[in-house]
Amino acid sequence: MAATHGGANVHAQEQVETLAGSRSGLAFRLEKGLSLLIEVPAALLVLAEVVVLMMGVIWRYGLHQPLIWSDELAGILFLWLAMLGSVVAFQRGEHMRMTAIVGGLQPKWQAFFDLVAIAAALAFLALVVEPAYEFAAEEVWVTTPALEIPNSWRASALPVGILLMMITGLIRLFKTGGLRHALTALVSVAAVIGVVALLAPLFSGLGNWNLLLFFVFGVGAMVFLGVPIAFSFGLATFGYIVTTTTTPAMVIVGRMDEGMSHIILLAVPLFVLLGLLIEMTGMARAMVGFLANLLGHVRGGLSYVLIGAMYLVSGISGSKAADMAAVAPALFPEMRQRGAKPGDLVALLSATGAQTETIPPSIVLITIGSVTGVSIAALFTGGLLPAVVLGIGLAFVVWWRYRNEDLSNVRRASWREIGVSFIVALPAIALPFVIRAAVIEGIATATEVSTIGIAYTVVAGLLIYRRFDWKRLYPMLVDTAALSGAILLIIGAATAMAWALTQSGFSSTLAEVMKSLPGGTITFMAVSIMAFIILGSVLEGIPAIVLFGPLLFPIARDVGVHEVHYSMVVILAMGIGLFAPPFGVGYYAACAISRIKPDEGMKPIIGYMLAMFVGLAVVAAVPWISVGFL
């Protein structure tokens, strides 16, 4: 009897495993089909944006016949690119999230909170899908001025993208956790939302204490539990608006649309694509090779090369991940052979990532221009020297650490080798100057100039470096769409959240508090530095800027701080927070690219971060460093 019962249990278990396997196989097939359906148009949209903006430059500057519809068409395609890119990023699990705390839990709890993160994102999408449809339906009555078509053609991207993300999220949820665990995560999130809904009458009587509940405790809890930042912002904003105000939920979608549709942000996907092209064509490797020949024989020489290479490459790509991925593989093997410790390598790579945050065309610079109205050309000019100041600080630490390095087995490159490598690297070194000159001379706007960089890189890759892998082009376009979608969804959600904060009166209260701080400008700058270091470590640069830039920049002007100077200070402060462990996401990205364990770099990075902080203090104290060349 017992044997029969045991055989029945085994048979039942086999049936469960077979059913789970069939569900997993179905989920895999659905996911693969959906990927093809979304990734192809997303890649084509990236390509279309390059073509449309390039046509705008050629017709206006070359033929002196501006295309009045080019910017409008680019804007329509851009929102579709942002939403489809968000779907691709959601499918890949690439939406920005903080995993420092969840990553320290036991594997079973890590898996559970990963499912909760997906379920929370699904909850937000389910809550806004109907308001998004209503918003798009309302836009049918608005006609675009140049193309003269209903604006619903553009606004429809929001409900379509949200619906596709919902489908993608459900597939990921059940594929990752199975039926029981997926339902547990969904029920857990639904229970929390239900409790918040039931407490709505209580919230309505709390006044501005709701800001603390929703935007500090609520957002903080979700971010630390690993919910993607964009969805954390979205859920908190939706909860605050629906439970404490009479504002319709459709307004949230409208604010998201406004944040994601700013024409300046068109530069984001194009500079991301440019960074990938730089790596693929070998231009970054050529620059690194020249610097290695020039300084490789000096004590700590390759560390100086790393600092210089990150400076040059950052001026091209605008993407920190692309920067590090281009430089680290070219330098780290030789640095290891010379005895450099892995921890010191990843520590310096992280520090240089923070150092180069102000170098144009940084995506953070473009975001600041978008949300605060500061001139992009002025930001591009003002960002060069602050990074040099921080680089000098890093170089001093390198000199101290490597002052006794043994170079007996290191061969010094001949002047001929240096000259040849310089000639090879010259087209790559010239690219940042071409980009900046195009903006300053008025050939292209900050939005369009990336297309000039892309054209330059493609020509250089095909004709000069003879390295252009056509097979990699499609994956690069898809990667560009995914990263851009993740960034732009954060900007959209943060814009809605910033609007809610402004409507509550928080911005005016914050302005009064900051203005009344004793010590005037000095205290204001010191508080800003500490605040943005913390914000950079938790929220990363872009959402922090979108949230607090519109609030703090007017105050900076009122206390007499130049807006470009203030931009440099807050960007560098956020960079330090972003790349400083234990919370800095950028530090873990550097570890992943270097394939070095995070704990190895914890101690070596302290010296570099101290040098960065000293450099930041110098930049904050001497405005000329930021505005001297404007």
Side-chain angles (χ1 to χ4, degrees), residues 74-102:
I76 293 171
L77 298 177
F78 182 52
L79 187 59
W80 280 96
L81 169 60
M83 293 309 298
L84 292 183
S86 297
V87 179
V88 176
F90 196 33
Q91 192 172 49
R92 297 178 170 190
E94 293 178 358
H95 277 283
M96 298 177 192
R97 55 192 290 245
M98 196 186 86
T99 57
I101 292 178
V102 173

PDB file of all heavy atoms in Angstrom, residues 74-102:
ATOM      1  N   ALA A  74      10.453  63.756 -36.240  1.00  0.00           N
ATOM      2  CA  ALA A  74      11.395  63.143 -35.290  1.00  0.00           C
ATOM      3  C   ALA A  74      10.751  63.026 -33.917  1.00  0.00           C
ATOM      4  O   ALA A  74      10.948  62.026 -33.210  1.00  0.00           O
ATOM      5  CB  ALA A  74      12.672  63.977 -35.222  1.00  0.00           C
ATOM      6  N   GLY A  75       9.977  64.046 -33.502  1.00  0.00           N
ATOM      7  CA  GLY A  75       9.303  63.997 -32.204  1.00  0.00           C
ATOM      8  C   GLY A  75       8.255  62.905 -32.127  1.00  0.00           C
ATOM      9  O   GLY A  75       8.106  62.238 -31.097  1.00  0.00           O
ATOM     10  N   ILE A  76       7.508  62.713 -33.221  1.00  0.00           N
ATOM     11  CA  ILE A  76       6.501  61.640 -33.253  1.00  0.00           C
ATOM     12  C   ILE A  76       7.174  60.271 -33.141  1.00  0.00           C
ATOM     13  O   ILE A  76       6.767  59.423 -32.341  1.00  0.00           O
ATOM     14  CB  ILE A  76       5.664  61.734 -34.548  1.00  0.00           C
ATOM     15  CG1 ILE A  76       4.815  63.004 -34.544  1.00  0.00           C
ATOM     16  CG2 ILE A  76       4.781  60.490 -34.716  1.00  0.00           C
ATOM     17  CD1 ILE A  76       4.128  63.298 -35.857  1.00  0.00           C
ATOM     18  N   LEU A  77       8.200  60.068 -33.954  1.00  0.00           N
ATOM     19  CA  LEU A  77       8.912  58.788 -33.919  1.00  0.00           C
ATOM     20  C   LEU A  77       9.595  58.570 -32.571  1.00  0.00           C
ATOM     21  O   LEU A  77       9.719  57.430 -32.102  1.00  0.00           O
ATOM     22  CB  LEU A  77       9.956  58.748 -35.040  1.00  0.00           C
ATOM     23  CG  LEU A  77       9.443  58.838 -36.480  1.00  0.00           C
ATOM     24  CD1 LEU A  77      10.614  58.849 -37.449  1.00  0.00           C
ATOM     25  CD2 LEU A  77       8.497  57.688 -36.782  1.00  0.00           C
ATOM     26  N   PHE A  78      10.022  59.671 -31.938  1.00  0.00           N
ATOM     27  CA  PHE A  78      10.785  59.572 -30.696  1.00  0.00           C
ATOM     28  C   PHE A  78       9.954  58.954 -29.573  1.00  0.00           C
ATOM     29  O   PHE A  78      10.442  58.116 -28.816  1.00  0.00           O
ATOM     30  CB  PHE A  78      11.272  60.966 -30.296  1.00  0.00           C
ATOM     31  CG  PHE A  78      12.102  60.980 -29.051  1.00  0.00           C
ATOM     32  CD1 PHE A  78      13.196  60.137 -28.899  1.00  0.00           C
ATOM     33  CD2 PHE A  78      11.801  61.854 -28.024  1.00  0.00           C
ATOM     34  CE1 PHE A  78      13.969  60.163 -27.751  1.00  0.00           C
ATOM     35  CE2 PHE A  78      12.569  61.885 -26.875  1.00  0.00           C
ATOM     36  CZ  PHE A  78      13.656  61.042 -26.735  1.00  0.00           C
ATOM     37  N   LEU A  79       8.693  59.377 -29.438  1.00  0.00           N
ATOM     38  CA  LEU A  79       7.872  58.807 -28.367  1.00  0.00           C
ATOM     39  C   LEU A  79       7.632  57.320 -28.603  1.00  0.00           C
ATOM     40  O   LEU A  79       7.641  56.520 -27.660  1.00  0.00           O
ATOM     41  CB  LEU A  79       6.540  59.550 -28.261  1.00  0.00           C
ATOM     42  CG  LEU A  79       5.675  59.152 -27.057  1.00  0.00           C
ATOM     43  CD1 LEU A  79       6.408  59.399 -25.747  1.00  0.00           C
ATOM     44  CD2 LEU A  79       4.346  59.907 -27.065  1.00  0.00           C
ATOM     45  N   TRP A  80       7.445  56.938 -29.864  1.00  0.00           N
ATOM     46  CA  TRP A  80       7.310  55.505 -30.169  1.00  0.00           C
ATOM     47  C   TRP A  80       8.602  54.755 -29.846  1.00  0.00           C
ATOM     48  O   TRP A  80       8.568  53.643 -29.293  1.00  0.00           O
ATOM     49  CB  TRP A  80       6.940  55.317 -31.645  1.00  0.00           C
ATOM     50  CG  TRP A  80       5.491  55.544 -31.913  1.00  0.00           C
ATOM     51  CD1 TRP A  80       4.899  56.688 -32.348  1.00  0.00           C
ATOM     52  CD2 TRP A  80       4.431  54.594 -31.720  1.00  0.00           C
ATOM     53  NE1 TRP A  80       3.529  56.519 -32.449  1.00  0.00           N
ATOM     54  CE2 TRP A  80       3.219  55.245 -32.072  1.00  0.00           C
ATOM     55  CE3 TRP A  80       4.383  53.275 -31.291  1.00  0.00           C
ATOM     56  CZ2 TRP A  80       1.982  54.604 -32.001  1.00  0.00           C
ATOM     57  CZ3 TRP A  80       3.150  52.625 -31.226  1.00  0.00           C
ATOM     58  CH2 TRP A  80       1.977  53.285 -31.582  1.00  0.00           C
ATOM     59  N   LEU A  81       9.740  55.358 -30.163  1.00  0.00           N
ATOM     60  CA  LEU A  81      11.028  54.737 -29.825  1.00  0.00           C
ATOM     61  C   LEU A  81      11.171  54.588 -28.322  1.00  0.00           C
ATOM     62  O   LEU A  81      11.609  53.533 -27.831  1.00  0.00           O
ATOM     63  CB  LEU A  81      12.166  55.590 -30.389  1.00  0.00           C
ATOM     64  CG  LEU A  81      13.592  55.239 -29.917  1.00  0.00           C
ATOM     65  CD1 LEU A  81      13.949  53.802 -30.291  1.00  0.00           C
ATOM     66  CD2 LEU A  81      14.599  56.217 -30.509  1.00  0.00           C
ATOM     67  N   ALA A  82      10.797  55.626 -27.574  1.00  0.00           N
ATOM     68  CA  ALA A  82      10.916  55.571 -26.114  1.00  0.00           C
ATOM     69  C   ALA A  82      10.062  54.446 -25.535  1.00  0.00           C
ATOM     70  O   ALA A  82      10.519  53.682 -24.668  1.00  0.00           O
ATOM     71  CB  ALA A  82      10.510  56.914 -25.508  1.00  0.00           C
ATOM     72  N   MET A  83       8.838  54.316 -26.009  1.00  0.00           N
ATOM     73  CA  MET A  83       7.937  53.308 -25.443  1.00  0.00           C
ATOM     74  C   MET A  83       8.321  51.897 -25.876  1.00  0.00           C
ATOM     75  O   MET A  83       8.346  50.966 -25.053  1.00  0.00           O
ATOM     76  CB  MET A  83       6.495  53.614 -25.846  1.00  0.00           C
ATOM     77  CG  MET A  83       5.937  54.890 -25.228  1.00  0.00           C
ATOM     78  SD  MET A  83       6.141  54.983 -23.424  1.00  0.00           S
ATOM     79  CE  MET A  83       5.152  53.562 -22.890  1.00  0.00           C
ATOM     80  N   LEU A  84       8.640  51.705 -27.170  1.00  0.00           N
ATOM     81  CA  LEU A  84       9.064  50.366 -27.598  1.00  0.00           C
ATOM     82  C   LEU A  84      10.397  49.985 -26.964  1.00  0.00           C
ATOM     83  O   LEU A  84      10.623  48.825 -26.608  1.00  0.00           O
ATOM     84  CB  LEU A  84       9.152  50.304 -29.121  1.00  0.00           C
ATOM     85  CG  LEU A  84       7.822  50.405 -29.883  1.00  0.00           C
ATOM     86  CD1 LEU A  84       8.061  50.249 -31.381  1.00  0.00           C
ATOM     87  CD2 LEU A  84       6.825  49.350 -29.405  1.00  0.00           C
ATOM     88  N   GLY A  85      11.295  50.970 -26.809  1.00  0.00           N
ATOM     89  CA  GLY A  85      12.557  50.711 -26.117  1.00  0.00           C
ATOM     90  C   GLY A  85      12.325  50.312 -24.671  1.00  0.00           C
ATOM     91  O   GLY A  85      13.013  49.438 -24.133  1.00  0.00           O
ATOM     92  N   SER A  86      11.331  50.932 -24.020  1.00  0.00           N
ATOM     93  CA  SER A  86      10.985  50.561 -22.646  1.00  0.00           C
ATOM     94  C   SER A  86      10.497  49.115 -22.573  1.00  0.00           C
ATOM     95  O   SER A  86      10.796  48.391 -21.617  1.00  0.00           O
ATOM     96  CB  SER A  86       9.894  51.498 -22.099  1.00  0.00           C
ATOM     97  OG  SER A  86      10.353  52.813 -22.023  1.00  0.00           O
ATOM     98  N   VAL A  87       9.746  48.699 -23.598  1.00  0.00           N
ATOM     99  CA  VAL A  87       9.266  47.311 -23.639  1.00  0.00           C
ATOM    100  C   VAL A  87      10.447  46.351 -23.765  1.00  0.00           C
ATOM    101  O   VAL A  87      10.528  45.338 -23.059  1.00  0.00           O
ATOM    102  CB  VAL A  87       8.283  47.104 -24.811  1.00  0.00           C
ATOM    103  CG1 VAL A  87       7.812  45.647 -24.844  1.00  0.00           C
ATOM    104  CG2 VAL A  87       7.103  48.042 -24.702  1.00  0.00           C
ATOM    105  N   VAL A  88      11.383  46.664 -24.663  1.00  0.00           N
ATOM    106  CA  VAL A  88      12.562  45.810 -24.840  1.00  0.00           C
ATOM    107  C   VAL A  88      13.365  45.742 -23.537  1.00  0.00           C
ATOM    108  O   VAL A  88      13.811  44.669 -23.113  1.00  0.00           O
ATOM    109  CB  VAL A  88      13.449  46.337 -25.988  1.00  0.00           C
ATOM    110  CG1 VAL A  88      14.716  45.502 -26.102  1.00  0.00           C
ATOM    111  CG2 VAL A  88      12.688  46.323 -27.305  1.00  0.00           C
ATOM    112  N   ALA A  89      13.553  46.896 -22.884  1.00  0.00           N
ATOM    113  CA  ALA A  89      14.296  46.916 -21.622  1.00  0.00           C
ATOM    114  C   ALA A  89      13.580  46.095 -20.550  1.00  0.00           C
ATOM    115  O   ALA A  89      14.220  45.386 -19.763  1.00  0.00           O
ATOM    116  CB  ALA A  89      14.477  48.360 -21.146  1.00  0.00           C
ATOM    117  N   PHE A  90      12.249  46.170 -20.510  1.00  0.00           N
ATOM    118  CA  PHE A  90      11.469  45.398 -19.535  1.00  0.00           C
ATOM    119  C   PHE A  90      11.602  43.909 -19.809  1.00  0.00           C
ATOM    120  O   PHE A  90      11.748  43.096 -18.885  1.00  0.00           O
ATOM    121  CB  PHE A  90      10.012  45.842 -19.615  1.00  0.00           C
ATOM    122  CG  PHE A  90       9.183  45.420 -18.424  1.00  0.00           C
ATOM    123  CD1 PHE A  90       9.733  45.334 -17.160  1.00  0.00           C
ATOM    124  CD2 PHE A  90       7.845  45.125 -18.582  1.00  0.00           C
ATOM    125  CE1 PHE A  90       8.966  44.954 -16.064  1.00  0.00           C
ATOM    126  CE2 PHE A  90       7.062  44.742 -17.506  1.00  0.00           C
ATOM    127  CZ  PHE A  90       7.626  44.655 -16.240  1.00  0.00           C
ATOM    128  N   GLN A  91      11.569  43.559 -21.068  1.00  0.00           N
ATOM    129  CA  GLN A  91      11.710  42.160 -21.462  1.00  0.00           C
ATOM    130  C   GLN A  91      13.062  41.601 -21.053  1.00  0.00           C
ATOM    131  O   GLN A  91      13.180  40.457 -20.614  1.00  0.00           O
ATOM    132  CB  GLN A  91      11.513  42.055 -22.974  1.00  0.00           C
ATOM    133  CG  GLN A  91      11.339  40.649 -23.502  1.00  0.00           C
ATOM    134  CD  GLN A  91      10.959  40.676 -24.974  1.00  0.00           C
ATOM    135  OE1 GLN A  91      11.597  41.351 -25.760  1.00  0.00           O
ATOM    136  NE2 GLN A  91       9.920  39.959 -25.349  1.00  0.00           N
ATOM    137  N   ARG A  92      14.099  42.428 -21.162  1.00  0.00           N
ATOM    138  CA  ARG A  92      15.461  42.000 -20.815  1.00  0.00           C
ATOM    139  C   ARG A  92      15.795  42.177 -19.338  1.00  0.00           C
ATOM    140  O   ARG A  92      16.879  41.788 -18.902  1.00  0.00           O
ATOM    141  CB  ARG A  92      16.469  42.807 -21.635  1.00  0.00           C
ATOM    142  CG  ARG A  92      16.390  42.608 -23.134  1.00  0.00           C
ATOM    143  CD  ARG A  92      17.407  43.498 -23.811  1.00  0.00           C
ATOM    144  NE  ARG A  92      17.561  43.216 -25.229  1.00  0.00           N
ATOM    145  CZ  ARG A  92      18.520  43.721 -25.997  1.00  0.00           C
ATOM    146  NH1 ARG A  92      19.426  44.531 -25.461  1.00  0.00           N
ATOM    147  NH2 ARG A  92      18.591  43.419 -27.268  1.00  0.00           N
ATOM    148  N   GLY A  93      14.909  42.790 -18.580  1.00  0.00           N
ATOM    149  CA  GLY A  93      15.202  43.076 -17.185  1.00  0.00           C
ATOM    150  C   GLY A  93      16.251  44.156 -17.020  1.00  0.00           C
ATOM    151  O   GLY A  93      17.054  44.130 -16.080  1.00  0.00           O
ATOM    152  N   GLU A  94      16.265  45.162 -17.920  1.00  0.00           N
ATOM    153  CA  GLU A  94      17.309  46.175 -17.929  1.00  0.00           C
ATOM    154  C   GLU A  94      16.844  47.536 -17.432  1.00  0.00           C
ATOM    155  O   GLU A  94      17.577  48.514 -17.549  1.00  0.00           O
ATOM    156  CB  GLU A  94      17.889  46.311 -19.344  1.00  0.00           C
ATOM    157  CG  GLU A  94      18.657  45.074 -19.789  1.00  0.00           C
ATOM    158  CD  GLU A  94      19.193  45.187 -21.210  1.00  0.00           C
ATOM    159  OE1 GLU A  94      18.924  46.221 -21.868  1.00  0.00           O
ATOM    160  OE2 GLU A  94      19.869  44.245 -21.656  1.00  0.00           O
ATOM    161  N   HIS A  95      15.635  47.619 -16.873  1.00  0.00           N
ATOM    162  CA  HIS A  95      15.231  48.885 -16.275  1.00  0.00           C
ATOM    163  C   HIS A  95      16.028  49.095 -14.992  1.00  0.00           C
ATOM    164  O   HIS A  95      16.241  48.158 -14.218  1.00  0.00           O
ATOM    165  CB  HIS A  95      13.727  48.886 -15.981  1.00  0.00           C
ATOM    166  CG  HIS A  95      12.899  49.241 -17.171  1.00  0.00           C
ATOM    167  ND1 HIS A  95      12.761  50.540 -17.615  1.00  0.00           N
ATOM    168  CD2 HIS A  95      12.183  48.462 -18.028  1.00  0.00           C
ATOM    169  CE1 HIS A  95      11.987  50.553 -18.688  1.00  0.00           C
ATOM    170  NE2 HIS A  95      11.628  49.305 -18.966  1.00  0.00           N
ATOM    171  N   MET A  96      16.484  50.344 -14.789  1.00  0.00           N
ATOM    172  CA  MET A  96      17.406  50.636 -13.690  1.00  0.00           C
ATOM    173  C   MET A  96      16.748  50.361 -12.344  1.00  0.00           C
ATOM    174  O   MET A  96      15.649  50.839 -12.066  1.00  0.00           O
ATOM    175  CB  MET A  96      17.859  52.088 -13.767  1.00  0.00           C
ATOM    176  CG  MET A  96      18.613  52.421 -15.039  1.00  0.00           C
ATOM    177  SD  MET A  96      19.054  54.161 -15.131  1.00  0.00           S
ATOM    178  CE  MET A  96      19.587  54.269 -16.854  1.00  0.00           C
ATOM    179  N   ARG A  97      17.461  49.627 -11.495  1.00  0.00           N
ATOM    180  CA  ARG A  97      16.977  49.329 -10.157  1.00  0.00           C
ATOM    181  C   ARG A  97      18.166  49.171  -9.215  1.00  0.00           C
ATOM    182  O   ARG A  97      19.281  48.916  -9.671  1.00  0.00           O
ATOM    183  CB  ARG A  97      16.126  48.049 -10.162  1.00  0.00           C
ATOM    184  CG  ARG A  97      16.808  46.823 -10.737  1.00  0.00           C
ATOM    185  CD  ARG A  97      15.837  45.682 -10.982  1.00  0.00           C
ATOM    186  NE  ARG A  97      15.344  45.078  -9.780  1.00  0.00           N
ATOM    187  CZ  ARG A  97      15.604  43.809  -9.418  1.00  0.00           C
ATOM    188  NH1 ARG A  97      16.353  43.027 -10.175  1.00  0.00           N
ATOM    189  NH2 ARG A  97      15.106  43.324  -8.309  1.00  0.00           N
ATOM    190  N   MET A  98      17.921  49.379  -7.942  1.00  0.00           N
ATOM    191  CA  MET A  98      18.983  49.232  -6.961  1.00  0.00           C
ATOM    192  C   MET A  98      18.855  47.861  -6.314  1.00  0.00           C
ATOM    193  O   MET A  98      17.828  47.532  -5.701  1.00  0.00           O
ATOM    194  CB  MET A  98      18.901  50.317  -5.883  1.00  0.00           C
ATOM    195  CG  MET A  98      20.191  50.423  -5.091  1.00  0.00           C
ATOM    196  SD  MET A  98      20.084  51.561  -3.709  1.00  0.00           S
ATOM    197  CE  MET A  98      19.423  50.473  -2.473  1.00  0.00           C
ATOM    198  N   THR A  99      19.888  47.053  -6.441  1.00  0.00           N
ATOM    199  CA  THR A  99      19.841  45.671  -5.941  1.00  0.00           C
ATOM    200  C   THR A  99      20.835  45.429  -4.809  1.00  0.00           C
ATOM    201  O   THR A  99      21.070  44.287  -4.447  1.00  0.00           O
ATOM    202  CB  THR A  99      20.132  44.688  -7.092  1.00  0.00           C
ATOM    203  OG1 THR A  99      21.410  45.006  -7.660  1.00  0.00           O
ATOM    204  CG2 THR A  99      19.074  44.779  -8.175  1.00  0.00           C
ATOM    205  N   ALA A 100      21.425  46.498  -4.261  1.00  0.00           N
ATOM    206  CA  ALA A 100      22.460  46.319  -3.239  1.00  0.00           C
ATOM    207  C   ALA A 100      21.916  45.584  -2.015  1.00  0.00           C
ATOM    208  O   ALA A 100      22.582  44.708  -1.456  1.00  0.00           O
ATOM    209  CB  ALA A 100      23.033  47.675  -2.824  1.00  0.00           C
ATOM    210  N   ILE A 101      20.691  45.923  -1.588  1.00  0.00           N
ATOM    211  CA  ILE A 101      20.127  45.298  -0.391  1.00  0.00           C
ATOM    212  C   ILE A 101      19.558  43.925  -0.721  1.00  0.00           C
ATOM    213  O   ILE A 101      19.842  42.932  -0.040  1.00  0.00           O
ATOM    214  CB  ILE A 101      19.050  46.206   0.219  1.00  0.00           C
ATOM    215  CG1 ILE A 101      19.720  47.469   0.785  1.00  0.00           C
ATOM    216  CG2 ILE A 101      18.272  45.478   1.310  1.00  0.00           C
ATOM    217  CD1 ILE A 101      18.755  48.458   1.370  1.00  0.00           C
ATOM    218  N   VAL A 102      18.752  43.848  -1.766  1.00  0.00           N
ATOM    219  CA  VAL A 102      18.163  42.557  -2.156  1.00  0.00           C
ATOM    220  C   VAL A 102      19.250  41.551  -2.506  1.00  0.00           C
ATOM    221  O   VAL A 102      19.138  40.355  -2.202  1.00  0.00           O
ATOM    222  CB  VAL A 102      17.197  42.751  -3.344  1.00  0.00           C
ATOM    223  CG1 VAL A 102      16.707  41.412  -3.875  1.00  0.00           C
ATOM    224  CG2 VAL A 102      16.025  43.617  -2.926  1.00  0.00           C
TER     225      VAL A 102
END
